[in-house]
Amino acid sequence: MVVRRSGATERKRRAHYAESFLRRKAALYNRSTFCVVPPGDSLITPRISSFVAALCVPVFAIGTEHLPFQRIVPWANASLSVSPGELLAYHAAHHKMAAREKLLNASGGNESAAGPPVVIPPNPLAFLGTMPRAEVARIQRALVAARPHLLYGASPPSAVHSLAREIEAAFGGRAARADG
């Protein structure tokens, strides 16, 4: 027997889940010192604002010269970077290691059936564990200064005003002239 929920019940359940998920995600960011921002299909992601709001130091796998709000946020002082190639190589090596372990288990421990051993490169994020607290505190102070420019608010500075400044700077005022 299939019991169907009413539309209102389903909407409440989804709203509760979404709110619960967002709270858990915010709590995770607040407990974290560093938050890795992997390369993706967009340079602007809401995660960046969420990380900054939580004072979680963004660790970008892209150069900071490609980040949003360059004229407003001193990303070189408010974030860290890691080589995307090294990060991907490290991930791929672990993936190969897991696949080799499966083959090894399936073959009853036959090394030749599992293929050659996998060499794991150094962890490109290892430097985060040895970063001096004073350096982390310096970066977080820069995040505190940048935070108002990346969060939404009715009055400047806010993300909306920062975006408007970026557009105006990119188009040199041409967008305003096009409207007449």
Side-chain angles (χ1 to χ4, degrees):
M1 179 175 159
V2 176
V3 177
R4 299 201 182 266
R5 298 181 183 146
S6 71
T9 303
E10 183 63 17
R11 280 191 298 277
K12 284 181 186 177
R13 186 189 70 77
R14 286 184 182 177
H16 172 74
Y17 174 78
E19 182 180 324
S20 173
F21 174 75
L22 291 174
R23 287 183 192 278
R24 289 192 318 266
K25 187 168 75 168
L28 175 65
Y29 295 165
N30 281 318
R31 288 191 313 266
S32 302
T33 302
F34 303 103
C35 293
V36 177
V37 184
D41 59 358
S42 174
L43 295 175
I44 298 177
T45 170
R47 286 182 302 220
I48 296 172
S49 295
S50 297
F51 295 163
V52 172
L55 296 181
C56 185
V57 176
V59 181
F60 293 106
I62 59 170
T64 57
E65 67 275 6
H66 301 294
L67 296 173
F69 309 127
Q70 287 291 314
R71 292 170 182 84
I72 301 164
V73 179
W75 289 113
N77 297 327
S79 66
L80 298 168
S81 294
V82 64
S83 163
E86 290 177 12
L87 198 59
L88 290 171
Y90 184 74
H91 173 74
H94 277 276
H95 185 71
K96 285 181 185 177
M97 177 74 94
R100 185 177 190 282
E101 289 293 324
K102 276 186 176 180
L103 286 172
L104 198 58
N105 289 335
S107 68
N110 183 348
E111 287 283 337
S112 62
V118 177
V119 176
I120 303 289
N123 183 343
L125 298 172
F127 75 98
L128 299 175
T130 60
M131 183 169 283
R133 288 181 188 251
E135 180 66 7
V136 173
R138 183 199 60 76
I139 295 170
Q140 287 176 324
R141 283 191 300 275
L143 289 175
V144 168
R147 192 163 35 182
H149 299 285
L150 297 170
L151 302 179
Y152 289 95
S155 58
S158 78
V160 172
H161 298 90
S162 298
L163 182 58
R165 284 178 56 189
E166 287 286 306
I167 291 171
E168 183 177 22
F171 292 101
R174 290 181 299 201
R177 288 192 298 270
D179 289 338

